[in-house]
Amino acid sequence: MDVKSAFLNGELKEEVYVEQPPGFVVDDHRRKVLKLHKALYGLHQAPRAWNAKLDAMLVDMGFRRCNSEHAVYARGSGRELLLLGVYVDDLVITGADATEIDNFKTAMKGKFRMSDLGLLSYYLGIDVRQDVDGVTIAQSAYADKIIEKAGLMGCNARQTPMEARLKLSKASTTASTDATEYRSMVGTLRYLTHSRPDITFAVSYVSRFMEAPTVEHLTAVQHIVRYVAGTRDLGCHFPRRRANGARLVGYSDSDMAGDIDDRKSTSGGVFFLGDSPVSWLSQKQ
């Protein structure tokens, strides 16, 4: 669901005055200003005022805000559990009981002007495909933008995210490259890891050299992009029926003093709920 003109619903706690807008000037009071009661687009307070309004309203409706992720709310339990994800004025709603979802939508339409966008299919660059077998998330369109931005459309694809046993150093002797462009490419790849655990380690590795990248580092980033070009449709699938049930299983691994600059170790891990990956990471320690 989408809230129409969301920021106009925010209630201001500060005193804010604005000039009378052109075309709406009161003839007898041309030198006077207007005092705002609610937020307007363009005010620094507008996003915060809207978030506070929405948060208070959801709490009044019985929702609990997640302590570790303030954009996620929950209400009820069991089959009546309703989960809500908030991104500014967009609401992603999920639950096991369709009636609970419909009741929530009706309640929201009674409080704000809302658009019901139907079944989730695309959100923040992530393609969502839902069918009888389960839910699949991928970032194919976003991957195309990364490949185009890197100037590698139609390139020869790589079979792996990075070369085996590749060792890069901050003290590389190759020529320097554009640091801004390098950081931009790595940043876009980092967002792609939301649905691509297979590139998480490689992207984490090249992220270490954003301060002063060289051609050697850039070549490693382009290698990742070439791999993405050949695997652009890959993503994560979450089946509705799990062969192994809802058992949570985690795997982890690490090297020993693998970084050639500071001798720190790199560790990684992935957690599966049944057969589906739900969390993954790679970091230097």
Side-chain angles (χ1 to χ4, degrees):
M1 299 188 75
D2 174 72
V3 183
K4 297 179 180 180
S5 303
F7 285 2
L8 302 184
N9 294 286
E11 297 175 356
L12 296 175
K13 295 182 180 180
E14 306 87 357
E15 286 193 4
V16 180
Y17 298 89
V18 297
E19 296 179 354
Q20 297 183 55
F24 296 90
V25 178
V26 181
D27 291 334
D28 297 336
H29 304 280
R30 289 182 174 272
R31 301 186 63 183
K32 292 186 178 181
V33 294
L34 304 176
K35 180 179 179 181
L36 293 180
H37 294 287
K38 291 193 174 184
L40 290 177
Y41 280 86
L43 286 180
H44 293 298
Q45 303 96 322
R48 176 60 182 167
W50 158 244
N51 182 262
K53 172 87 171 184
L54 180 62
D55 178 77
M57 190 206 66
L58 291 175
V59 170
D60 288 342
M61 295 174 67
F63 281 89
R64 307 178 306 277
R65 187 173 65 182
C66 178
N67 292 328
S68 58
E69 178 51 74
H70 289 182
V72 177
Y73 294 80
R75 183 177 71 182
S77 60
R79 286 195 57 81
E80 295 182 352
L81 176 65
L82 195 63
L83 295 175
L84 179 67
V86 177
Y87 182 75
V88 190
D89 58 353
D90 293 325
L91 310 179
V92 177
I93 310 152
T94 184
D97 190 339
T99 302
E100 282 291 322
I101 296 176
D102 291 338
N103 290 340
F104 172 73
K105 288 183 176 181
T106 301
M108 288 297 294
K109 289 179 180 178
K111 297 179 181 294
F112 302 112
R113 294 176 59 243
M114 306 284 298
S115 296
D116 189 345
L117 305 180
L119 202 63
L120 183 65
S121 59
Y122 185 83
Y123 191 69
L124 298 179
I126 299 177
D127 300 303
V128 183
R129 186 172 69 252
Q130 306 186 53
D131 51 37
V132 294
D133 295 327
V135 179
T136 302
I137 63 172
Q139 294 171 272
S140 303
Y142 183 73
D144 286 338
K145 293 179 181 179
I146 294 176
I147 299 165
E148 182 179 1
K149 182 176 181 179
L152 293 172
M153 293 295 291
C155 65
N156 293 326
R158 298 293 187 179
Q159 299 300 313
T160 58
M162 63 186 297
E163 296 179 9
R165 294 180 291 277
L166 176 67
K167 293 293 183 180
L168 298 174
S169 172
K170 293 181 179 178
S172 172
T173 57
T174 58
S176 299
T177 188
D178 188 334
T180 300
E181 184 65 23
Y182 182 90
R183 293 164 188 160
S184 177
M185 290 179 63
V186 173
T188 56
L189 287 170
R190 287 176 67 89
Y191 189 70
L192 188 62
T193 62
H194 288 324
S195 64
R196 296 291 299 271
D198 55 325
I199 66 171
T200 299
F201 171 75
V203 174
S204 174
Y205 190 68
V206 297
S207 297
R208 301 175 186 178
F209 311 104
M210 290 197 287
E211 182 178 355
T214 67
V215 172
E216 186 179 28
H217 304 136
L218 180 61
T219 300
V221 174
Q222 291 173 337
H223 186 111
I224 301 174
V225 177
R226 290 176 183 273
Y227 170 75
V228 170
T231 58
R232 56 180 298 279
D233 293 324
L234 290 185
C236 293
H237 179 68
F238 305 94
R240 298 190 186 280
R241 297 181 183 276
R242 300 184 178 91
N244 298 329
R247 195 162 60 101
L248 183 65
V249 180
Y251 300 89
S252 65
D253 194 11
S254 64
D255 64 5
M256 179 63 181
D259 191 291
I260 60 178
D261 289 318
D262 55 22
R263 307 299 294 166
K264 289 186 177 181
S265 303
T266 300
S267 63
V270 60
F271 287 87
F272 287 82
L273 186 62
D275 297 325
S276 304
V278 293
S279 178
W280 48 90
L281 60 89
S282 176
Q283 61 184 8
K284 185 172 71 171
Q285 298 177 331

